[in-house]
Amino acid sequence: MNAEHSPNQLAETLAAIVGPKYIYTDQEKKAPYCKGFRFGSGGAYAVVRPGSLVEIWHVLQACVDADVIVIMQAANTGLTGGSTPSGSDYDRPVVIISTMRVDGVQIIKNGEQIIGLPGSTLFGLEEDLKPHGREPHSVIGSSCIGASIVGGICNNSGGALVQRGPAYTEMSLYAEVTPDGKLELVNHLGIKLGNSPEEILHNLEHKRYQESDVLDTEQRASDVEYEQRVRDVDADTPSRFNADPRRLHESAGCAGKLAVFAVRMDTFPIPEKQQVFYMGTNDPSVMEDIRRHMLSQFDNIPVSGEYMHKTCYDLSKEYGKDTFLVIDKLGTKYMPKLFAVKRTVDRISGKFSFIPKQFSDRALQFMSKFFPNHLPERMESFRKQYDHHWIIETANAGVDEARAYLTQYFQDNPGKGGFFECTEREAEQAILHRFVAGGALSRFHLIQNKSQNLGSIMTIDVAFPRNERDWYETLPPEIDEQIAVKMYYGHFFCHVMHQNYILKQGVDAKALKQQILETFDARGAKYPAEHNVGHEYAAEESLSSFYKKIDPTNSFNAGIGKTSKKKNWEA
């Protein structure tokens, strides 16, 4: 910390900006902000919760003046620990700035674009756009757990929707620290907002601008090239991955190496007609043949194509049941509240040694057993017949195109699998069943760890080349014998797979992960595909160079991607 700022002085300065109620230095109050949603934790000098864009700016100024590391944090729903500290080996104190009090979505250009402030969520955006007949870039998955709009851009997240690709924009408002250590505000939103930082931020937050101030620009507010890219099924590179230099631009992919105040993004029309097809097969090559044909030959490619292996199906059915029921009966808007309640219960129960750790998960798992089977009969019938399950969502003219093709394909290839057209209710259940897979493995590990003598969990999201035909993993025996449970699911049209493992007791997780990653390297795969490096993966050279370019003093989110945590990127 700068010699001019003692620890007490910085805390007092921050409290004067946001109010004493919104700065935490107590360990217990800091804890929820210092631990990742699924991975990672570390220490922080303070957690600050500003209530406006101007307050965020003033907090940043105080932190830069005090020479501390800043971690910008929104919903903290990342899966690789990228929005929390990691360990305690930083060379400067760490201040976490939680932006969730600064919520707001501004709809511009007749609903065709939006401005998202740092605390705004995908779920809130989805609700705001419905009256306009539009929807956001992401409408499944992360939206259900309250993920933020800005966080998605900063991590090039998602891409389950095949026609849209990863979250991306070239229009944003952000602060950077220059090579000489000065904080500067950069307005690349394409909106006239004024001159001084305070004026720009105040005018934006209170929407003190006219429609005529919103400029038409050639800068992109989504990955408009992605459909063309994913259709190229013979290319020997993946369709998308976090280190792709094509989609690293200022706030996009910055992973918190800039302080992002707002992003401008495209929206998309809600389809007039939708249909989900549920497909099953025991032959992975069948899925690959269908994938290649739909992407390369269809006039209207599908909206999404979510894959589940039978083990994933089973684990999600039993260990994702409570999450499924909450969303199904109460709606996605209750998920952030549920997670907040769970954190509170675990924090309180953790004070008592006789109560098991993660008591909330254990209690929810126990209660879920008293509810009947929540999955439809036709899905359950397919589970008995098939190892591989594929949920194909289509829209508008693509509905009839997919129906005709799938019907003809399985008529011409009897015994290779089958499909059925989901009712609206079955479609909801199928998509939701796939969504809850993300937390099912962790729940299984928690409940069964002692009885089955399990080792640690390993999660990998990997993007295979577009021309990869042998996409289903067959591990070498020397690797396979070290794994107790394998759980595979993913976004199959994009060849992005989530390959999660529970290791056997005593296995060296770090060494085994390196062996698995080497098998991916040999196949031309890229990882991570969509969850970003966080503190779990080492950033590729293209990514670490990008970080150094936009944050030359290493003032923001130091150590991300296993890079240096020291000032000015010292080794």
Side-chain angles (χ1 to χ4, degrees):
M1 187 175 293
N2 191 309
E4 297 179 1
H5 293 80
S6 70
N8 288 340
Q9 286 176 325
L10 179 57
E12 290 170 1
T13 299
L14 297 175
I17 296 169
V18 302
K21 181 180 178 180
Y22 296 109
I23 176 172
Y24 306 147
T25 54
D26 177 79
Q27 197 65 33
E28 185 174 323
K29 291 184 177 179
K30 290 188 295 183
Y33 302 88
C34 293
K35 183 175 177 60
F37 179 71
R38 184 186 292 176
F39 177 89
S41 63
Y45 162 75
V47 174
V48 192
R49 299 180 59 219
S52 69
L53 293 179
V54 172
E55 283 189 4
I56 294 176
W57 173 253
H58 289 157
V59 167
L60 285 169
Q61 286 182 313
C63 289
V64 171
D65 289 345
D67 195 23
V68 301
I69 294 169
V70 171
I71 296 178
M72 300 292 291
Q73 183 183 97
N76 192 18
T77 59
L79 301 181
T80 56
S83 58
T84 60
S86 178
S88 56
D89 56 337
Y90 294 91
D91 66 341
R92 292 152 289 168
V94 174
V95 173
I96 299 171
I97 301 178
S98 172
T99 63
M100 292 306 288
R101 290 180 63 214
V102 191
D103 185 7
V105 169
Q106 299 174 9
I107 297 174
I108 60 174
K109 297 180 74 67
N110 299 314
E112 294 182 2
Q113 291 187 332
I114 61 97
I115 304 294
L117 300 187
S120 55
T121 64
L122 287 168
F123 174 77
L125 175 57
E126 191 173 348
E127 293 297 299
D128 289 342
L129 286 174
K130 281 181 181 178
H132 299 268
R134 312 282 294 186
E135 62 185 15
H137 167 272
S138 300
V139 295
I140 62 174
S142 58
S143 59
C144 296
I145 57 175
S148 73
I149 297 169
V150 168
I153 289 294
C154 292
N155 291 296
N156 288 141
S157 297
L161 302 184
V162 187
Q163 301 157 0
R164 303 178 193 175
Y168 180 74
T169 188
E170 294 169 358
M171 291 184 280
S172 59
L173 175 65
Y174 60 89
E176 62 181 3
V177 176
T178 63
D180 58 355
K182 303 297 182 182
L183 185 71
E184 291 187 356
L185 187 70
V186 179
N187 179 13
H188 286 169
L189 275 179
I191 303 176
K192 297 177 182 178
L193 293 166
N195 298 308
S196 72
E198 285 84 358
E199 182 184 15
I200 291 169
L201 295 168
H202 182 80
N203 287 342
L204 175 63
E205 184 167 2
H206 297 280
K207 206 173 182 181
R208 293 187 175 176
Y209 59 88
Q210 305 298 319
E211 195 68 27
S212 59
D213 294 320
V214 180
L215 306 178
D216 291 325
T217 171
E218 294 183 357
Q219 299 294 96
R220 295 167 178 166
S222 63
D223 189 350
V224 296
E225 299 174 336
Y226 188 73
E227 180 176 338
Q228 178 182 358
R229 184 173 178 83
V230 78
R231 280 182 176 273
D232 186 0
V233 296
D234 292 317
D236 61 2
T237 56
S239 58
R240 59 184 173 90
F241 55 99
N242 286 131
D244 186 353
R246 296 170 52 256
R247 291 297 172 256
L248 299 176
H249 181 86
E250 297 177 351
S251 66
C254 74
K257 301 299 288 181
L258 298 170
V260 183
F261 289 90
V263 294
R264 178 172 165 181
M265 298 184 67
D266 288 333
T267 68
F268 303 86
I270 297 174
E272 296 177 3
K273 179 181 179 181
Q274 294 176 288
Q275 178 62 55
V276 170
F277 299 93
Y278 195 96
M279 199 209 92
T281 183
N282 290 316
D283 184 354
S285 67
V286 168
M287 288 182 57
E288 186 58 30
D289 288 343
I290 293 173
R291 169 189 171 270
R292 292 177 63 86
H293 182 90
M294 286 185 166
L295 290 178
S296 63
Q297 302 299 320
F298 273 25
D299 292 329
N300 307 276
I301 63 173
V303 173
S304 69
E306 295 298 289
Y307 165 72
M308 298 180 77
H309 182 259
K310 63 179 181 180
T311 304
C312 178
Y313 184 108
D314 294 343
L315 289 175
S316 298
K317 177 181 175 181
E318 183 172 356
Y319 296 95
K321 186 175 182 179
D322 56 294
T323 304
F324 182 106
L325 293 173
V326 169
I327 296 175
D328 188 46
K329 303 303 181 184
L330 301 178
T332 55
K333 65 181 179 181
Y334 283 92
M335 286 307 296
K337 297 177 183 178
L338 175 63
F339 286 121
V341 170
K342 284 173 81 286
R343 285 193 294 266
T344 300
V345 169
D346 289 338
R347 177 172 55 83
I348 295 173
S349 62
K351 296 178 180 180
F352 302 94
S353 59
F354 61 89
I355 298 179
K357 290 183 178 180
Q358 294 180 268
F359 176 73
S360 65
D361 280 289
R362 297 177 189 274
L364 287 168
Q365 185 62 33
F366 176 77
M367 289 187 290
S368 72
K369 296 181 182 295
F370 294 96
F371 290 86
N373 186 5
H374 54 293
L375 298 180
E377 291 183 6
R378 291 202 287 179
M379 279 177 58
E380 292 286 76
S381 175
F382 264 46
R383 169 60 189 92
K384 294 175 183 177
Q385 299 177 66
Y386 303 119
D387 291 351
H388 304 281
H389 299 247
W390 195 10
I391 306 162
I392 303 173
E393 185 177 359
T394 60
N396 299 331
V399 173
D400 294 334
E401 196 171 14
R403 178 186 294 117
Y405 172 71
L406 291 171
T407 300
Q408 190 65 50
Y409 181 90
F410 287 109
Q411 286 178 355
D412 295 342
N413 297 276
K416 286 197 171 184
F419 80 100
F420 63 86
E421 293 190 37
C422 294
T423 64
E424 185 175 344
R425 176 62 178 152
E426 286 173 330
E428 293 172 350
Q429 292 170 299
I431 293 170
L432 185 50
H433 183 52
R434 160 61 185 88
F435 163 69
V436 302
L441 191 70
S442 298
R443 177 71 65 79
F444 170 82
H445 185 265
L446 173 69
I447 302 300
Q448 300 295 339
N449 187 22
K450 288 187 177 180
S451 63
Q452 297 193 25
N453 197 31
L454 300 172
S456 58
I457 294 178
M458 181 188 302
T459 62
I460 302 174
D461 62 299
V462 56
F464 292 111
R466 285 163 281 175
N467 66 351
E468 175 66 80
R469 289 182 178 269
D470 297 324
W471 60 271
Y472 183 66
E473 182 173 69
T474 302
L475 290 169
E478 64 272 18
I479 294 178
D480 194 61
E481 65 185 11
Q482 301 181 67
I483 300 172
V485 179
K486 295 191 286 285
M487 182 177 177
Y488 299 146
Y489 57 96
H491 316 301
F492 189 66
F493 281 116
C494 303
H495 261 186
V496 168
M497 301 297 294
H498 298 281
Q499 306 202 158
N500 300 337
Y501 315 90
I502 299 180
L503 310 185
K504 293 180 179 178
Q505 188 70 37
V507 170
D508 184 337
K510 185 176 181 180
L512 184 63
K513 184 171 186 176
Q514 185 56 41
Q515 286 181 278
I516 293 174
L517 294 181
E518 286 173 1
T519 70
F520 294 156
D521 292 338
R523 299 166 65 185
K526 292 289 188 178
Y527 48 85
E530 61 182 12
H531 290 163
N532 218 340
V533 289
H535 290 284
E536 190 172 5
Y537 295 91
E540 288 189 18
E541 179 59 33
S542 60
L543 200 55
S544 61
S545 296
F546 175 63
Y547 294 158
K548 292 174 182 178
K549 177 182 177 181
I550 60 178
D551 183 20
T553 61
N554 205 14
S555 297
F556 292 114
N557 214 5
I560 202 75
K562 300 187 183 298
T563 58
S564 171
K565 292 182 176 180
K566 295 184 178 180
K567 187 174 181 179
N568 298 321
W569 300 92
E570 294 180 2

